Amino acid sequence: MKVEEFREMLLKLKTLHSSFEKRFSGIYGEMEWEALAEKVKDLYALSGEMLEVASSLYREAGGFGGRIEEQTKELYRNEHQMKFRLEEVLHVLARGKDYETRLKLSTALDRLMQFHKVYDYAVWKALSEIMKEVEELGPFLEGEKEKKVPSGIMGELEKIKKLQSEFETLRGFLFRLYTHPGDVHKVERALMDWHSRGLLWVEARNVEKLSGVEKAGEILEGLTLIGVVEKKMRGGEGVYRHRSFGSG
C-alpha cells in the first residue's frame, strides 16, 4: 500500500471516530428501552466499520514497522474491545425488560462507560502518533518501489525517540518529586498496598484510585526509569510491580 493510501485510511478512521463520539453521547441518560437499543445498534454498526479500517491499517503497518506498526496494533485492540462492549449491551437489550435483565443492562452499560473513558483518549493518541510518524518518515517510506524502511535506520530513529520520551518522563517526574513529594510517596505506597492484597502486577488506574493522586501513571513511569518499579505490557497496557516484591 502506498503511503498516501495509508494516510487516507487514517483520515477516514479519524472522521468515523469523531462521528462515533458525537453519537455516543446520545446514550447518556437515555431511559427509553427501544430508543437506547436503536442508539446502541447505530453505534455498533459504526464500530464495526471502524474496526474494519483499523484492521486494514494494522495489516498494512507491517510494511512500515516501528512505532507505526505498534500504534496501529493499539488502534485495532481498542476498536475490537469497543465493538465487544457494545455487543454485550445489545445482547442484554434483546433479552427483555424484567428486573434481572435491567440489572445486567446496568452492569453492561457501566462496563461500556468505563471503557469509553480510556477508549476515546487512546484512539486519538494512537491516531496522532501514527500521523506524526508517517509525516516524519515520509521521505523514507515513499521510495520509488515503496520499500520498507531499512531496519538499521528505523532502529536508530526508534532509539532516539525512546531517549527523548524517557528524558521528558524523567523531567516531569523530578518536577513532581520537587513540588509534590507527597504524591510520589502516596503512589509508591498504593502500589505496595495492592501487592499486599495479592495483586502482583497493577494497572496505573488502580494505583491512581487507591492513592487519590491524579496522573499516577506519570509517577509510576518515573519510578520505573529510576529502577524503583518494574513495568511490563499486558493486553496492550502497562502494569507495574514494586521491585521490593518478588518477581512473577
Side-chain angles (χ1 to χ4, degrees):
M1 176 181 286
K2 294 182 179 180
V3 175
E4 188 56 39
E5 293 174 347
F6 194 80
R7 284 197 190 99
E8 289 176 1
M9 289 176 65
L10 285 171
L11 291 174
K12 179 180 180 180
L13 187 55
K14 288 180 72 173
T15 300
L16 288 171
H17 185 71
S18 294
S19 178
F20 181 88
E21 287 304 306
K22 290 178 182 178
R23 299 184 197 182
F24 192 90
S25 61
I27 68 175
Y28 283 97
E30 180 58 70
M31 303 301 293
E32 291 292 332
W33 194 277
E34 288 74 15
L36 177 61
E38 285 303 314
K39 289 179 179 180
V40 175
K41 285 179 183 177
D42 183 45
L43 287 171
Y44 181 73
L46 190 53
S47 177
E49 192 174 350
M50 291 190 295
L51 179 59
E52 185 177 342
V53 177
S55 178
S56 296
L57 284 168
Y58 184 34
R59 286 197 303 270
E60 297 298 333
F64 301 141
R67 288 285 292 170
I68 295 177
E69 184 175 13
E70 179 183 326
Q71 289 301 312
T72 51
K73 180 179 180 180
E74 182 70 8
L75 269 179
Y76 176 78
R77 186 185 71 82
N78 278 287
E79 296 298 355
H80 186 275
Q81 182 71 1
M82 175 53 76
K83 188 170 183 287
F84 170 77
R85 291 300 176 195
L86 289 166
E87 187 173 353
E88 181 182 32
V89 174
L90 281 177
H91 283 166
V92 177
L93 284 166
R95 292 177 183 175
K97 303 179 183 179
D98 57 88
Y99 179 73
E100 184 179 353
T101 301
R102 289 182 182 276
L103 288 178
K104 290 181 178 179
L105 177 62
S106 178
T107 300
L109 284 172
D110 283 344
R111 282 198 287 260
L112 173 63
M113 298 302 182
Q114 286 298 318
F115 174 67
H116 179 258
K117 292 178 181 179
V118 179
Y119 165 81
D120 185 35
Y121 171 77
V123 169
W124 281 122
K125 181 174 181 291
L127 283 170
S128 297
E129 290 193 15
I130 296 169
M131 289 295 291
K132 182 180 178 182
E133 290 286 331
V134 170
E135 294 304 321
E136 289 181 354
L137 298 176
F140 297 104
L141 300 176
E142 293 176 329
E144 293 181 1
K145 297 183 179 180
E146 296 291 336
K147 295 180 179 179
K148 184 175 180 178
V149 181
S151 59
I153 295 176
M154 180 62 79
E156 291 304 313
L157 288 171
E158 290 300 320
K159 287 179 183 178
I160 293 172
K161 287 181 177 295
K162 182 180 179 182
L163 286 172
Q164 289 176 332
S165 176
E166 289 180 349
F167 174 75
E168 290 300 321
T169 298
L170 186 58
R171 185 171 67 172
F173 171 73
L174 291 175
F175 177 77
R176 292 189 72 170
L177 182 61
Y178 178 75
T179 57
H180 301 286
D183 285 355
V184 177
H185 176 67
K186 289 177 183 177
V187 167
E188 188 175 357
R189 186 171 58 189
L191 179 61
M192 296 176 73
D193 194 358
W194 276 114
H195 293 336
S196 67
R197 300 182 188 189
L199 191 60
L200 185 58
W201 292 96
V202 189
E203 297 170 345
R205 61 174 173 268
N206 288 333
V207 174
E208 184 169 316
K209 182 178 180 180
L210 188 60
S211 66
V213 176
E214 292 186 2
K215 298 182 179 179
E218 295 179 358
I219 294 177
L220 288 168
E221 287 294 318
L223 289 171
T224 300
L225 284 177
I226 64 175
V228 175
V229 168
E230 186 177 356
K231 176 184 177 182
K232 72 176 182 178
M233 300 304 293
R234 185 175 65 191
E237 185 175 3
V239 288
Y240 304 86
R241 176 182 68 84
H242 200 282
R243 288 187 179 275
S244 63
F245 282 73
S247 60

